[in-house]
Amino acid sequence: MLHHCRAKPYIILEQGNIEVTEHVCTGHAETTLVQQASRIYEKDFLITCTLYTTVVPCVVCSGAIYWANIGFWNKH
């Protein structure tokens, strides 16, 4: 996940899938990253972030990203 408030965007979090390693059925990288970001940062900060993925997120992950307001300013 990138933060864009400074002149040069910088990475604030990285995450991979933990489904197999941690035996968590909802352990997609996106949901895990959203959980981490929500614990660390406030929604006002997450609005200015962009989440990059290697494939299109599933419906559950897309919902988590939406409700966390990640990159919400890009959607309008």
Side-chain angles (χ1 to χ4, degrees):
M1 180 183 307
L2 291 179
H3 185 245
H4 294 280
C5 273
R6 296 185 181 170
K8 182 178 179 184
Y10 61 99
I11 297 172
I12 58 169
L13 289 171
E14 293 180 86
Q15 182 63 47
N17 288 340
I18 61 166
E19 292 175 86
V20 177
T21 58
E22 301 293 326
H23 307 289
V24 179
C25 63
T26 57
H28 292 178
E30 298 89 348
T31 54
T32 307
L33 186 120
V34 166
Q35 290 171 359
Q36 288 177 359
S38 296
R39 284 188 203 115
I40 299 170
Y41 304 106
E42 295 182 15
K43 282 192 173 187
D44 290 341
F45 180 85
L46 296 177
I47 289 170
T48 62
C49 296
T50 301
L51 177 64
Y52 290 94
T53 62
T54 54
V55 295
V56 177
C58 74
V59 175
V60 173
C61 293
S62 295
I65 294 164
Y66 176 82
W67 288 110
N69 286 337
I70 294 173
F72 193 76
W73 63 281
N74 288 330
K75 296 176 188 173
H76 297 285

Coordinates of all heavy atoms in Angstrom, one line a residue:
M1 N 0.8 -1.1 0.0 CA 0.0 0.0 0.0 C 0.9 1.2 0.0 O 1.9 1.3 0.7 CB -0.9 0.0 1.2 CG -1.8 1.2 1.3 SD -2.8 1.2 2.8 CE -3.6 -0.3 2.8
L2 N 0.6 2.2 -0.9 CA 1.4 3.4 -1.0 C 0.6 4.6 -0.3 O -0.6 4.7 -0.4 CB 1.6 3.8 -2.4 CG 2.5 2.9 -3.3 CD1 2.6 3.4 -4.7 CD2 3.9 2.8 -2.7
H3 N 1.4 5.5 0.3 CA 0.8 6.7 0.8 C 1.3 7.8 -0.1 O 2.4 7.9 -0.5 CB 1.3 6.9 2.2 CG 0.7 8.1 2.9 ND1 1.5 9.2 3.2 CD2 -0.6 8.4 3.2 CE1 0.6 10.1 3.7 NE2 -0.6 9.7 3.7
H4 N 0.4 8.8 -0.4 CA 0.7 9.8 -1.4 C 0.8 11.2 -0.9 O 0.8 12.2 -1.7 CB -0.4 9.8 -2.5 CG -0.4 8.6 -3.3 ND1 0.4 8.4 -4.3 CD2 -1.2 7.5 -3.2 CE1 0.2 7.2 -4.8 NE2 -0.8 6.6 -4.2
C5 N 0.9 11.4 0.4 CA 0.9 12.8 0.9 C 2.2 13.6 0.7 O 2.2 14.8 0.6 CB 0.6 12.8 2.4 SG -1.2 12.9 2.7
R6 N 3.3 12.9 0.6 CA 4.5 13.5 0.3 C 4.8 13.7 -1.2 O 4.0 13.2 -2.0 CB 5.7 12.7 0.9 CG 5.6 12.6 2.4 CD 6.7 11.9 3.0 NE 6.6 11.8 4.5 CZ 7.3 11.1 5.2 NH1 8.3 10.4 4.7 NH2 7.1 11.1 6.5
A7 N 5.9 14.4 -1.5 CA 6.2 14.6 -2.9 C 6.4 13.3 -3.7 O 6.0 13.1 -4.8 CB 7.4 15.4 -3.1
K8 N 7.0 12.3 -3.0 CA 7.2 11.0 -3.6 C 6.4 9.9 -2.8 O 6.6 9.8 -1.6 CB 8.7 10.7 -3.5 CG 9.1 9.4 -4.2 CD 10.6 9.1 -4.1 CE 10.9 7.8 -4.8 NZ 12.3 7.5 -4.7
P9 N 5.5 9.2 -3.5 CA 4.8 8.1 -2.7 C 5.7 7.1 -2.1 O 6.8 6.8 -2.7 CB 4.0 7.5 -3.8 CG 3.9 8.5 -4.9 CD 5.1 9.3 -4.9
Y10 N 5.4 6.6 -1.0 CA 6.2 5.6 -0.3 C 5.4 4.4 0.2 O 4.2 4.6 0.5 CB 7.0 6.2 0.8 CG 6.2 6.9 1.9 CD1 6.0 6.2 3.1 CD2 5.7 8.1 1.7 CE1 5.2 6.8 4.1 CE2 4.9 8.7 2.7 CZ 4.7 8.0 3.9 OH 4.0 8.6 4.9
I11 N 6.0 3.3 0.3 CA 5.3 2.1 0.8 C 5.1 2.1 2.3 O 6.1 2.3 3.0 CB 6.0 0.8 0.3 CG1 6.1 0.7 -1.2 CG2 5.4 -0.5 1.0 CD1 7.0 -0.4 -1.7
I12 N 3.9 1.9 2.7 CA 3.6 1.9 4.2 C 3.4 0.5 4.7 O 3.6 0.2 5.8 CB 2.5 2.8 4.6 CG1 1.2 2.5 3.9 CG2 2.9 4.3 4.4 CD1 0.0 3.2 4.5
L13 N 2.8 -0.4 3.8 CA 2.6 -1.8 4.2 C 2.7 -2.7 3.0 O 2.4 -2.3 1.9 CB 1.2 -2.0 4.8 CG 0.8 -1.4 6.1 CD1 -0.7 -1.4 6.4 CD2 1.6 -2.1 7.2
E14 N 3.1 -4.0 3.3 CA 3.1 -5.0 2.3 C 2.6 -6.3 2.9 O 2.8 -6.5 4.1 CB 4.6 -5.3 1.8 CG 5.2 -4.2 1.0 CD 6.6 -4.5 0.6 OE1 6.7 -5.2 -0.5 OE2 7.5 -4.2 1.3
Q15 N 1.9 -7.1 2.1 CA 1.3 -8.3 2.7 C 1.1 -9.3 1.6 O 0.8 -9.0 0.5 CB 0.0 -8.0 3.4 CG -0.7 -9.1 4.0 CD 0.1 -9.7 5.1 OE1 0.6 -9.0 6.0 NE2 0.2 -11.0 5.2
G16 N 1.2 -10.6 2.0 CA 1.0 -11.7 1.1 C -0.2 -12.6 1.6 O -0.6 -12.3 2.7
N17 N -0.6 -13.5 0.9 CA -1.7 -14.4 1.4 C -1.2 -15.3 2.6 O 0.0 -15.7 2.6 CB -2.1 -15.4 0.3 CG -2.9 -14.7 -0.8 OD1 -3.4 -13.6 -0.6 ND2 -2.9 -15.3 -2.0
I18 N -2.1 -15.5 3.5 CA -1.7 -16.3 4.7 C -2.7 -17.5 4.8 O -2.8 -18.1 5.9 CB -1.7 -15.5 6.0 CG1 -3.1 -14.8 6.3 CG2 -0.6 -14.4 5.9 CD1 -3.2 -14.3 7.7
E19 N -3.5 -17.7 3.8 CA -4.5 -18.8 3.8 C -3.9 -20.1 4.2 O -4.4 -20.8 5.1 CB -5.2 -18.9 2.5 CG -6.1 -17.8 2.1 CD -6.6 -18.0 0.7 OE1 -7.7 -18.6 0.6 OE2 -6.0 -17.5 -0.2
V20 N -2.8 -20.5 3.5 CA -2.2 -21.8 3.7 C -1.3 -21.9 5.0 O -1.4 -22.8 5.8 CB -1.5 -22.3 2.5 CG1 -0.8 -23.6 2.7 CG2 -2.4 -22.3 1.3
T21 N -0.5 -20.8 5.1 CA 0.5 -20.8 6.2 C -0.1 -20.7 7.6 O 0.3 -21.3 8.5 CB 1.6 -19.7 6.0 OG1 0.9 -18.5 5.9 CG2 2.4 -20.0 4.7
E22 N -1.2 -19.9 7.7 CA -1.8 -19.6 9.0 C -3.1 -20.3 9.1 O -3.8 -20.2 10.2 CB -2.0 -18.1 9.2 CG -0.8 -17.3 9.1 CD 0.2 -17.6 10.3 OE1 -0.3 -17.8 11.4 OE2 1.4 -17.5 10.1
H23 N -3.6 -21.1 8.1 CA -4.8 -21.8 8.1 C -6.0 -20.9 8.4 O -6.9 -21.2 9.2 CB -4.8 -23.0 9.1 CG -3.6 -23.9 8.9 ND1 -3.5 -24.7 7.9 CD2 -2.5 -24.0 9.6 CE1 -2.4 -25.4 7.9 NE2 -1.7 -25.0 9.0
V24 N -6.1 -19.8 7.7 CA -7.1 -18.8 7.8 C -7.9 -18.7 6.5 O -7.3 -18.3 5.5 CB -6.6 -17.4 8.2 CG1 -7.7 -16.4 8.3 CG2 -5.8 -17.5 9.5
C25 N -9.2 -19.0 6.4 CA -9.9 -19.1 5.2 C -10.1 -17.7 4.6 O -10.3 -17.5 3.4 CB -11.2 -19.8 5.3 SG -12.4 -19.0 6.4
T26 N -10.0 -16.6 5.4 CA -10.2 -15.3 4.8 C -8.8 -14.6 4.8 O -8.7 -13.3 4.8 CB -11.1 -14.4 5.7 OG1 -10.6 -14.4 7.1 CG2 -12.5 -15.0 5.7
G27 N -7.7 -15.3 4.7 CA -6.4 -14.8 4.7 C -5.9 -14.3 3.4 O -4.7 -14.4 3.1
H28 N -6.7 -13.7 2.5 CA -6.2 -13.1 1.3 C -5.3 -11.9 1.7 O -5.5 -11.3 2.8 CB -7.4 -12.6 0.4 CG -8.2 -13.7 -0.1 ND1 -9.3 -13.5 -0.9 CD2 -8.1 -15.1 -0.1 CE1 -9.8 -14.6 -1.3 NE2 -9.1 -15.6 -0.8
A29 N -4.4 -11.6 0.9 CA -3.5 -10.5 1.2 C -4.2 -9.2 1.4 O -3.8 -8.4 2.3 CB -2.5 -10.4 0.0
E30 N -5.2 -8.9 0.6 CA -6.0 -7.7 0.7 C -6.7 -7.5 2.1 O -6.6 -6.5 2.7 CB -7.0 -7.5 -0.4 CG -6.4 -7.5 -1.8 CD -6.2 -8.9 -2.4 OE1 -6.4 -9.9 -1.7 OE2 -5.9 -8.9 -3.6
T31 N -7.4 -8.6 2.5 CA -8.1 -8.5 3.8 C -7.1 -8.4 5.0 O -7.4 -7.6 5.9 CB -9.1 -9.6 4.0 OG1 -8.3 -10.9 3.9 CG2 -10.2 -9.6 3.1
T32 N -6.0 -9.1 4.9 CA -5.0 -9.0 6.0 C -4.4 -7.7 6.0 O -4.2 -7.1 7.1 CB -4.0 -10.1 5.7 OG1 -4.6 -11.4 5.6 CG2 -3.0 -10.2 6.9
L33 N -4.1 -7.1 4.9 CA -3.5 -5.8 4.8 C -4.5 -4.7 5.3 O -4.1 -3.8 6.0 CB -3.1 -5.4 3.4 CG -2.3 -4.1 3.2 CD1 -0.9 -4.4 2.7 CD2 -3.1 -3.2 2.4
V34 N -5.8 -4.8 4.9 CA -6.8 -3.9 5.4 C -6.9 -3.9 6.9 O -7.0 -2.9 7.6 CB -8.1 -4.1 4.7 CG1 -9.3 -3.4 5.4 CG2 -8.1 -3.7 3.3
Q35 N -6.8 -5.1 7.5 CA -6.9 -5.2 9.0 C -5.7 -4.6 9.6 O -5.9 -3.8 10.6 CB -7.0 -6.7 9.3 CG -8.3 -7.4 9.0 CD -8.2 -8.9 9.2 OE1 -7.2 -9.4 9.6 NE2 -9.3 -9.5 8.9
Q36 N -4.5 -4.8 9.1 CA -3.3 -4.2 9.6 C -3.4 -2.7 9.5 O -3.1 -1.9 10.5 CB -2.1 -4.7 8.9 CG -1.7 -6.1 9.2 CD -0.5 -6.5 8.4 OE1 0.0 -5.8 7.6 NE2 0.0 -7.7 8.6
A37 N -3.8 -2.2 8.3 CA -3.8 -0.7 8.1 C -4.9 -0.1 9.0 O -4.6 1.0 9.5 CB -4.2 -0.5 6.6
S38 N -6.0 -0.7 9.2 CA -7.0 -0.2 10.1 C -6.6 -0.1 11.5 O -7.0 0.8 12.3 CB -8.3 -1.0 10.0 OG -8.8 -0.9 8.6
R39 N -5.8 -1.0 12.0 CA -5.3 -1.0 13.3 C -4.2 0.1 13.5 O -4.2 0.7 14.6 CB -4.6 -2.3 13.7 CG -5.6 -3.4 14.0 CD -4.9 -4.7 14.5 NE -5.8 -5.8 14.3 CZ -5.5 -6.8 13.5 NH1 -4.3 -6.9 12.9 NH2 -6.3 -7.8 13.3
I40 N -3.5 0.4 12.5 CA -2.3 1.3 12.6 C -2.7 2.8 12.3 O -2.3 3.7 13.0 CB -1.2 0.9 11.7 CG1 -0.7 -0.5 12.1 CG2 -0.1 1.9 11.7 CD1 0.3 -1.1 11.1
Y41 N -3.5 2.9 11.2 CA -3.8 4.3 10.7 C -5.3 4.6 10.8 O -6.2 3.7 10.8 CB -3.4 4.4 9.2 CG -2.0 4.0 9.0 CD1 -1.6 2.8 8.4 CD2 -1.0 4.9 9.4 CE1 -0.2 2.5 8.2 CE2 0.4 4.6 9.2 CZ 0.7 3.4 8.6 OH 2.0 3.1 8.4
E42 N -5.6 5.9 10.8 CA -7.0 6.3 10.8 C -7.6 6.4 9.4 O -6.8 6.5 8.4 CB -7.1 7.7 11.5 CG -6.8 7.7 12.9 CD -6.9 9.0 13.6 OE1 -7.6 9.9 13.0 OE2 -6.4 9.2 14.7
K43 N -8.9 6.4 9.3 CA -9.5 6.4 7.9 C -9.1 7.6 7.1 O -9.0 7.6 5.9 CB -11.0 6.4 8.0 CG -11.5 5.0 8.3 CD -13.0 4.9 8.1 CE -13.5 3.5 8.2 NZ -14.9 3.3 7.9
D44 N -8.9 8.8 7.8 CA -8.5 10.0 7.0 C -7.1 9.8 6.4 O -6.9 10.3 5.3 CB -8.4 11.2 8.0 CG -9.8 11.6 8.4 OD1 -10.8 11.3 7.8 OD2 -9.9 12.4 9.4
F45 N -6.3 9.0 7.0 CA -4.9 8.7 6.4 C -5.1 7.7 5.3 O -4.5 7.8 4.2 CB -4.0 8.1 7.5 CG -2.7 7.7 7.0 CD1 -1.7 8.7 6.9 CD2 -2.4 6.5 6.6 CE1 -0.4 8.4 6.4 CE2 -1.1 6.1 6.1 CZ -0.1 7.1 6.0
L46 N -6.0 6.7 5.4 CA -6.1 5.6 4.4 C -6.7 6.2 3.1 O -6.5 5.6 2.1 CB -7.0 4.5 5.0 CG -6.3 3.7 6.1 CD1 -7.3 2.7 6.6 CD2 -5.0 3.1 5.7
I47 N -7.5 7.3 3.2 CA -8.1 7.9 2.0 C -7.0 8.3 1.1 O -7.2 8.2 -0.2 CB -8.9 9.1 2.4 CG1 -10.2 8.7 3.1 CG2 -9.2 10.0 1.2 CD1 -11.0 9.8 3.7
T48 N -5.8 8.7 1.6 CA -4.7 9.2 0.7 C -3.8 8.0 0.3 O -2.7 8.3 -0.3 CB -3.9 10.2 1.4 OG1 -3.3 9.7 2.6 CG2 -4.8 11.4 1.8
C49 N -4.2 6.8 0.5 CA -3.3 5.6 0.1 C -3.9 4.9 -1.1 O -5.1 5.1 -1.4 CB -3.3 4.7 1.3 SG -2.5 5.3 2.8
T50 N -3.0 4.2 -1.8 CA -3.4 3.4 -2.9 C -3.0 1.9 -2.7 O -1.9 1.7 -2.3 CB -2.8 3.9 -4.2 OG1 -3.2 5.2 -4.4 CG2 -3.2 3.1 -5.4
L51 N -3.9 1.0 -2.9 CA -3.6 -0.4 -2.7 C -3.4 -1.0 -4.1 O -4.2 -0.9 -5.0 CB -4.8 -1.1 -2.0 CG -4.7 -2.6 -1.8 CD1 -3.5 -2.9 -0.9 CD2 -5.9 -3.1 -1.2
Y52 N -2.2 -1.6 -4.3 CA -1.9 -2.3 -5.5 C -1.9 -3.8 -5.3 O -1.5 -4.3 -4.3 CB -0.5 -1.9 -6.0 CG -0.4 -0.5 -6.5 CD1 0.0 0.5 -5.6 CD2 -0.8 -0.2 -7.8 CE1 0.0 1.8 -6.0 CE2 -0.7 1.1 -8.2 CZ -0.3 2.1 -7.3 OH -0.3 3.4 -7.8
T53 N -2.5 -4.6 -6.2 CA -2.6 -6.0 -6.2 C -2.1 -6.6 -7.5 O -2.1 -5.9 -8.5 CB -4.1 -6.5 -5.9 OG1 -4.9 -6.1 -7.0 CG2 -4.6 -5.9 -4.6
T54 N -1.8 -7.9 -7.4 CA -1.4 -8.6 -8.6 C -2.5 -9.1 -9.5 O -2.4 -9.3 -10.7 CB -0.4 -9.8 -8.3 OG1 -1.1 -10.6 -7.4 CG2 0.9 -9.2 -7.7
V55 N -3.7 -9.3 -8.8 CA -4.9 -9.7 -9.5 C -6.1 -8.9 -9.0 O -5.9 -8.3 -8.0 CB -5.2 -11.3 -9.4 CG1 -4.1 -12.1 -10.0 CG2 -5.3 -11.6 -7.9
V56 N -7.2 -9.0 -9.7 CA -8.4 -8.3 -9.2 C -8.8 -8.9 -7.9 O -9.0 -10.2 -7.8 CB -9.5 -8.4 -10.3 CG1 -10.8 -7.8 -9.8 CG2 -9.1 -7.8 -11.6
P57 N -9.1 -8.1 -6.9 CA -9.5 -8.7 -5.6 C -10.9 -9.3 -5.6 O -11.7 -8.9 -6.4 CB -9.6 -7.4 -4.7 CG -8.8 -6.4 -5.3 CD -8.9 -6.7 -6.8
C58 N -11.1 -10.3 -4.8 CA -12.4 -11.0 -4.7 C -13.4 -10.1 -4.1 O -13.1 -9.0 -3.7 CB -12.3 -12.3 -3.9 SG -12.1 -12.0 -2.1
V59 N -14.7 -10.5 -4.1 CA -15.8 -9.7 -3.6 C -15.6 -9.3 -2.1 O -15.8 -8.1 -1.8 CB -17.1 -10.4 -3.8 CG1 -18.2 -9.6 -3.2 CG2 -17.4 -10.7 -5.3
V60 N -15.1 -10.2 -1.3 CA -14.9 -9.9 0.1 C -13.8 -8.9 0.3 O -13.9 -7.9 1.0 CB -14.6 -11.2 0.9 CG1 -14.2 -10.9 2.3 CG2 -15.8 -12.1 0.8
C61 N -12.7 -9.1 -0.4 CA -11.6 -8.2 -0.3 C -12.0 -6.8 -0.8 O -11.6 -5.8 -0.3 CB -10.4 -8.7 -1.1 SG -9.7 -10.2 -0.4
S62 N -12.7 -6.7 -1.9 CA -13.1 -5.5 -2.5 C -14.0 -4.7 -1.5 O -13.9 -3.5 -1.3 CB -13.9 -5.7 -3.8 OG -13.1 -6.2 -4.8
G63 N -14.9 -5.4 -0.8 CA -15.7 -4.8 0.2 C -14.9 -4.2 1.4 O -15.1 -3.1 1.9
A64 N -13.9 -5.0 1.8 CA -13.0 -4.6 2.9 C -12.3 -3.3 2.5 O -12.2 -2.3 3.3 CB -12.1 -5.7 3.3
I65 N -11.8 -3.3 1.3 CA -11.0 -2.1 0.8 C -11.9 -0.9 0.7 O -11.6 0.2 1.1 CB -10.4 -2.4 -0.6 CG1 -9.3 -3.5 -0.5 CG2 -9.9 -1.1 -1.2 CD1 -8.9 -4.1 -1.8
Y66 N -13.2 -1.1 0.2 CA -14.1 0.0 0.1 C -14.5 0.6 1.5 O -14.4 1.8 1.7 CB -15.4 -0.5 -0.6 CG -16.5 0.5 -0.6 CD1 -16.5 1.5 -1.6 CD2 -17.5 0.5 0.3 CE1 -17.5 2.5 -1.7 CE2 -18.5 1.5 0.3 CZ -18.5 2.5 -0.7 OH -19.4 3.4 -0.8
W67 N -14.8 -0.3 2.5 CA -15.2 0.2 3.8 C -14.1 0.7 4.6 O -14.3 1.5 5.5 CB -16.0 -0.9 4.5 CG -17.3 -1.2 3.9 CD1 -17.7 -2.3 3.3 CD2 -18.4 -0.3 3.9 NE1 -19.0 -2.1 2.8 CE2 -19.5 -0.9 3.2 CE3 -18.6 1.0 4.5 CZ2 -20.7 -0.3 3.0 CZ3 -19.9 1.6 4.3 CH2 -20.9 0.9 3.6
A68 N -12.9 0.4 4.3 CA -11.7 1.0 5.0 C -11.4 2.4 4.4 O -10.5 3.1 4.9 CB -10.5 0.1 4.9
N69 N -12.1 2.7 3.3 CA -11.8 4.0 2.6 C -10.4 4.1 2.0 O -9.9 5.2 1.8 CB -12.1 5.2 3.5 CG -13.5 5.5 3.8 OD1 -14.4 5.1 3.0 ND2 -13.8 6.1 4.9
I70 N -9.8 3.0 1.7 CA -8.5 3.1 1.1 C -8.6 3.7 -0.3 O -9.3 3.1 -1.2 CB -7.8 1.7 1.1 CG1 -7.6 1.2 2.5 CG2 -6.6 1.7 0.2 CD1 -7.1 -0.2 2.6
G71 N -7.9 4.8 -0.6 CA -7.9 5.4 -1.9 C -9.3 6.0 -2.3 O -9.6 6.2 -3.4
F72 N -10.1 6.3 -1.3 CA -11.5 6.7 -1.6 C -11.5 8.0 -2.4 O -12.3 8.2 -3.2 CB -12.3 6.9 -0.3 CG -13.7 7.1 -0.5 CD1 -14.5 6.0 -0.8 CD2 -14.3 8.4 -0.5 CE1 -15.9 6.2 -1.0 CE2 -15.7 8.5 -0.7 CZ -16.5 7.4 -1.0
W73 N -10.5 8.9 -2.2 CA -10.4 10.1 -3.0 C -10.2 9.8 -4.5 O -10.5 10.7 -5.3 CB -9.3 11.0 -2.4 CG -8.0 10.5 -2.5 CD1 -7.4 9.5 -1.7 CD2 -7.0 10.8 -3.5 NE1 -6.1 9.2 -2.2 CE2 -5.8 10.0 -3.3 CE3 -6.9 11.6 -4.6 CZ2 -4.7 10.0 -4.0 CZ3 -5.8 11.7 -5.4 CH2 -4.7 10.9 -5.1
N74 N -9.7 8.7 -4.8 CA -9.5 8.3 -6.2 C -10.8 7.9 -6.9 O -10.9 7.8 -8.1 CB -8.5 7.2 -6.4 CG -7.1 7.6 -6.1 OD1 -6.7 8.8 -6.3 ND2 -6.3 6.7 -5.6
K75 N -11.8 7.5 -6.1 CA -13.0 6.9 -6.7 C -14.0 8.0 -7.2 O -15.0 7.7 -7.9 CB -13.7 6.1 -5.6 CG -12.9 4.9 -5.2 CD -13.6 4.2 -4.1 CE -12.7 3.1 -3.6 NZ -13.2 2.4 -2.4
H76 N -13.7 9.3 -7.0 CA -14.7 10.3 -7.4 C -14.1 11.2 -8.4 O -13.0 11.4 -8.5 CB -15.1 11.1 -6.2 CG -15.8 10.3 -5.2 ND1 -17.1 9.9 -5.3 CD2 -15.4 9.8 -4.0 CE1 -17.5 9.2 -4.3 NE2 -16.5 9.1 -3.4

